Amino acid sequence: MTGLKVALLGATGSIGTQTLDVLRQAMPWAKVTALTGNNNIKLLAKLAQEFRPGYICVPDEARQNELAGLIDFPCEILTGATGLEKCAAQTDASVVVNALVGRVGLAPTLAAINAGKHVAIANKETLVTAGAIVMPFAKKMGVCITPIDSEHSAILQCLQGNPLPAVEKIVLTASGGPFRKWDKDKIAAARQVQALKHPNWGMGPKITIDSATLMNKGLELIEAMWLYSMPVDKIEVVIHPQSIIHSMVQFTDGAMMAQMGPVDMRLPIQYALTAPDRIINDFPRLDLLACGELTFEPVDMDKFPCLALAVYAAKAGGTLPAVMNYINEWAVSQFLEEKISFYGISDIIARAFGAYTVKPAACAQDIWEAEAWADEFIKVLPKSQKT
């Protein structure tokens, strides 16, 4: 454990900054070999000064020059997609933490696996779009793909010591987001400022909107299929507004195991870096007497059609999840810019499903081609339908 070396992709985002907090507080002996960031160059420079990685990656030459003027130690400053892949594959990291947002996370994940690096993954899109490629490749290379999401960390912890054939079903819990108690007409008129008010978690804007639409839970359902070799019919989603039980596993004898914890991403991040081992930390502990009532509700698929669309994509398989993910990313950005309505997100995804012919996902090129189709679909979408 004392030899842990980490390449962190997405260092300035929510998961990235909390990963570094875990290293500071619980694993000060760990070495950071690479950091990558996007627009927040001042924060990236501050983190680089503290952790002094050998490699840093930024999006472009302008930010490269800006960063170079803010640090005072020798390192290689890389740019763009090739820089991300180099940070993932060419440092001496033992673990690559993929905390990137969006489909940009796939290529560096494949590069890390190809280089024999273990991957701790918070980037949902990698497994959603290419789980059929990533998981067999990781197995071939002898690489572990360990989840960071609190839900998947919970499942992983519940499964310790239990064989997969003994699993009857996986239960993913969802907070229900900010619109859990709203009726459909009120949700239809929701603005981005309302959708960004998550009741429990502090996250980036994209994942927060995905939580409001419940697409986030749909993405997690597809991830769970690949992480745990589980058919979609054995994965259930329930609303758990308190976010104390992070997910559950029911076994064939009827026993159900749940992992509970505070609303704090640092525990699943730490477990992703140390699993199956555990190390001492000073993070807040769950106070059972202060939890209050723990409740569960079914999901209203009519109010949250994005989850129903994700289930459909999971069952269809092939390249359809990649198309769904690409269009969802675009539609969420449009909603955040107030160019489409809240239900415009699911409406546009549904239109794409009706127009697309699903193909097998046998290699990364199949994913790129599916995303290229989705990009063309968006470009030719009539303005009257972008609502």
Side-chain angles (χ1 to χ4, degrees), residues 9 25-26 91 129 183 185 217 258 274 280 284 294 306 309 314 369 376:
L9 314 182
Q25 295 194 38
T91 75
T129 63
D183 62 39
D185 289 340
K217 213 50 52 177
T274 66
I280 297 171
L294 302 182
C306 276
L309 289 166
E369 290 177 2
E376 287 301 313

Side-chain angles (χ1 to χ4, degrees), residues 37 103 131 167 202 219 221 230 243 271 284 290 321 363:
R103 61 189 182 279
V167 176
L219 300 179
L221 181 146
M230 199 65 52
S243 297
Y271 193 72
C363 63

Side-chain angles (χ1 to χ4, degrees), residues 158-160 162-169 249-257:
C158 290
L159 287 175
Q160 293 301 319
N162 294 289
L164 282 178
V167 176
E168 189 168 278
K169 68 177 178 179
V249 175
Q250 183 167 299
F251 296 94
T252 51
D253 61 357
M256 180 173 281
M257 295 184 69

Side-chain angles (χ1 to χ4, degrees), residues 22-351:
V22 169
L23 297 183
R24 284 189 200 98
Q25 295 194 38
M27 291 177 273
W29 60 82
K31 167 67 176 173
V32 175
T33 65
L35 293 174
T36 82
N38 195 17
N39 294 318
N40 196 340
I41 300 302
K42 289 184 179 178
L43 176 57
L44 183 61
K46 180 180 178 182
L47 297 173
Q49 285 291 130
E50 177 182 0
F51 290 95
R52 296 183 173 261
Y55 295 87
I56 307 175
C57 182
V58 294
D60 51 43
E61 187 176 344
R63 291 177 178 86
Q64 183 184 43
N65 293 334
E66 181 183 355
L67 180 67
L70 295 173
I71 60 175
D72 63 5
F73 65 94
C75 69
E76 187 173 352
I77 305 177
L78 308 165
T79 61
T82 56
L84 285 175
E85 292 182 40
K86 187 170 183 179
C87 285
Q90 296 186 26
T91 75
D92 62 347
S94 51
V95 178
V96 175
V97 175
N98 187 341
L100 297 168
V101 176
R103 61 189 182 279
V104 69
L106 175 56
T109 298
L110 292 173
I113 295 170
N114 193 52
K117 313 289 187 185
H118 297 304
V119 180
I121 194 158
N123 178 256
K124 299 178 189 301
E125 293 78 7
T126 289
L127 293 179
V128 169
T129 63
I133 299 163
V134 170
M135 296 308 291
F137 186 33
K139 184 176 181 180
K140 176 184 176 182
M141 299 299 294
V143 165
C144 292
I145 306 292
T146 310
I148 285 177
D149 276 351
S150 62
E151 296 84 357
H152 292 121
S153 178
I155 295 164
L156 180 65
Q157 293 179 65
C158 290
L159 287 175
Q160 293 301 319
N162 294 289
L164 282 178
V167 176
E168 189 168 278
K169 68 177 178 179
I170 285 171
V171 181
L172 294 169
T173 56
S175 70
F179 303 143
R180 179 175 65 90
K181 293 185 177 181
W182 290 28
D183 62 39
K184 191 172 182 180
D185 289 340
K186 187 177 179 182
I187 294 173
R191 306 292 293 273
Q192 59 123 318
V193 66
Q194 296 165 308
L196 288 170
K197 292 181 179 178
H198 194 281
N200 299 332
W201 295 94
M203 306 174 291
K206 197 270 181 181
I207 192 172
T208 303
I209 300 303
D210 281 347
S211 180
T213 65
L214 288 195
M215 176 59 84
N216 190 47
K217 213 50 52 177
L219 300 179
E220 288 173 7
L221 181 146
I222 298 172
E223 281 185 287
M225 288 175 55
W226 296 115
L227 283 167
Y228 308 112
S229 302
M230 199 65 52
V232 65
D233 292 336
K234 286 191 173 186
I235 306 171
E236 180 183 357
V237 177
V238 299
I239 302 297
H240 171 52
Q242 297 81 19
S243 297
I244 296 297
I245 294 176
H246 296 294
S247 277
M248 297 170 274
V249 175
Q250 183 167 299
F251 296 94
T252 51
D253 61 357
M256 180 173 281
M257 295 184 69
Q259 189 266 327
M260 304 169 67
V263 179
D264 187 340
M265 280 302 300
R266 292 176 299 174
L267 178 57
I269 290 169
Q270 177 177 300
Y271 193 72
L273 294 174
T274 66
D277 298 326
R278 297 182 183 272
I279 61 174
I280 297 171
N281 60 46
D282 60 0
F283 303 155
R285 269 41 179 175
L286 181 66
D287 183 350
L288 289 174
L289 298 181
C291 283
E293 188 178 25
L294 302 182
T295 61
F296 303 92
E297 305 165 9
V299 177
D300 186 336
M301 294 287 198
D302 185 53
K303 282 170 54 175
F304 300 105
C306 276
L307 179 55
L309 289 166
V311 171
Y312 179 87
K315 291 180 177 179
T319 52
L320 191 60
V323 168
M324 179 191 73
N325 179 73
Y326 190 100
I327 293 178
N328 180 65
E329 283 190 31
W330 175 83
V332 167
S333 73
Q334 297 299 290
F335 174 71
L336 285 169
E337 295 175 15
E338 300 192 327
K339 293 180 179 178
I340 66 172
S341 68
F342 185 80
Y343 282 128
I345 298 172
S346 54
D347 288 345
I348 293 170
I349 295 170
R351 291 182 192 128

